[in-house]
Amino acid sequence: MPHVNFRHVLWSLLALGCSQAAGTAQASEGGTSIYLLGSGGPAAAVQPPVEGIFVDDTMYFYGGDIAADKSLVVGGNVALGLDSFVAAQFTTLVWVPSTKFLGGTLALGGSLPLAAPFVDASVIVSGPGGQSITRSRTDNTLAIGDPLANMSLGWKWDKFYLQVGGFVNIPVGHYREGELANIAFHRWAGDASLAASWHDTDSGWDVSAKAGVTFNGNNKVTDYNTGNELHVEAAVEKSFSEKFSAGIVGYYYDQISGDTGEGAVLGPNKGRVAALGGTAAYNLILGRSPATFRVRVFQEFDARRRQEGTAGMLSLTLPLKIFPPAAATN
């Protein structure tokens, strides 16, 4: 069997798995985004060099707030002074059926989120013309979110990698009508992205960037049409050994078209935020399978019409089944 760099496999599946997971507590309806900001980090464009089935399990944590004199539409109500925390688990299965599809590697997969969001609001305004005012409302839940179907196709030229990808959000998760805390978005959405990586195994350096647009549909319960969103991410990482690497990561988010519909009572509600942070990865063997642990931490700044806070991710990625090239069995 030819040599397979499993670190490349696991890094690439880590990026693919995280980037297709639904984000929580981040403007759009409720100031939240389906794309998980910060997921397009190191080796963002590197695809697995072998066919197989892989799993990524990511724990995601986010704590943020918005000033008491700022408002967002959440669950069909106008909420002022939001303060939220979410703990979520995203489980992603990825199938690589071919490393020769259109000259590149094809990956298909699906993600399912389970999350516990906690939300506090200083003031809630609801009812026709804002007739009902509630002070200091708190809400929390544990629920399964909308599943996502995702795909990516990538190519390699020496040390340069290029990847196109996308996902579809399927609105069948547990949506709580009229509540502040939700993990499901209750709307169709699609995302298209382009990633590039300069990945030099000799020097240990990786420089990666990813950009994409999320196209949002209508929440029929609230009659809220979320605008389209731009996300841009970048990472620089250095491998210090076969097992350990660390680097700098960042992202930028901008809603490029306004919200519409009867539920968009605050108008276009176009949000923006940026973040910088760090990441580290550790490669090891679990049983007889290679695995990668990765941690990422981001501090947001320059937020507009959305919460600003701190995000963290802890991921474990490993192969469930590797299909060696046909030549390896001869």
Side-chain angles (χ1 to χ4, degrees), residues 182-193:
N182 264 305
I183 178 64
F185 292 88
H186 203 63
R187 65 176 184 263
W188 287 93
D191 186 273
S193 62

Side-chain angles (χ1 to χ4, degrees), residues 106-174:
L106 175 68
L108 306 171
S111 303
L112 186 67
L114 172 67
F118 301 81
V119 182
D120 289 318
S122 301
V123 178
I124 296 291
V125 181
S126 60
Q131 297 175 1
S132 175
I133 299 179
T134 303
R135 294 186 179 274
S136 188
R137 180 176 166 186
T138 301
D139 186 32
N140 61 82
T141 189
L142 175 64
I144 295 176
D146 298 331
L148 297 104
N150 52 68
M151 67 77 63
S152 66
L153 180 61
W155 299 268
K156 176 182 182 296
W157 299 274
D158 193 20
K159 297 178 176 62
F160 181 74
Y161 297 77
L162 186 68
Q163 180 200 87
V164 294
F167 68 78
V168 174
N169 185 75
I170 305 170
V172 296
H174 182 205

Side-chain angles (χ1 to χ4, degrees), residues 224-271:
Y224 201 111
N225 300 303
T226 295
N228 299 327
E229 304 159 288
L230 170 71
H231 51 86
V232 179
E233 296 156 292
V236 178
E237 185 174 63
K238 177 72 167 67
S239 293
F240 298 97
S241 70
E242 283 295 316
K243 291 186 175 182
F244 179 75
S245 59
I248 299 172
V249 288
Y251 62 75
Y252 175 76
Y253 164 94
D254 192 10
Q255 187 173 332
I256 55 178
S257 65
D259 301 336
T260 60
E262 292 186 6
V265 296
L266 297 178
N269 198 41
K270 296 169 69 174

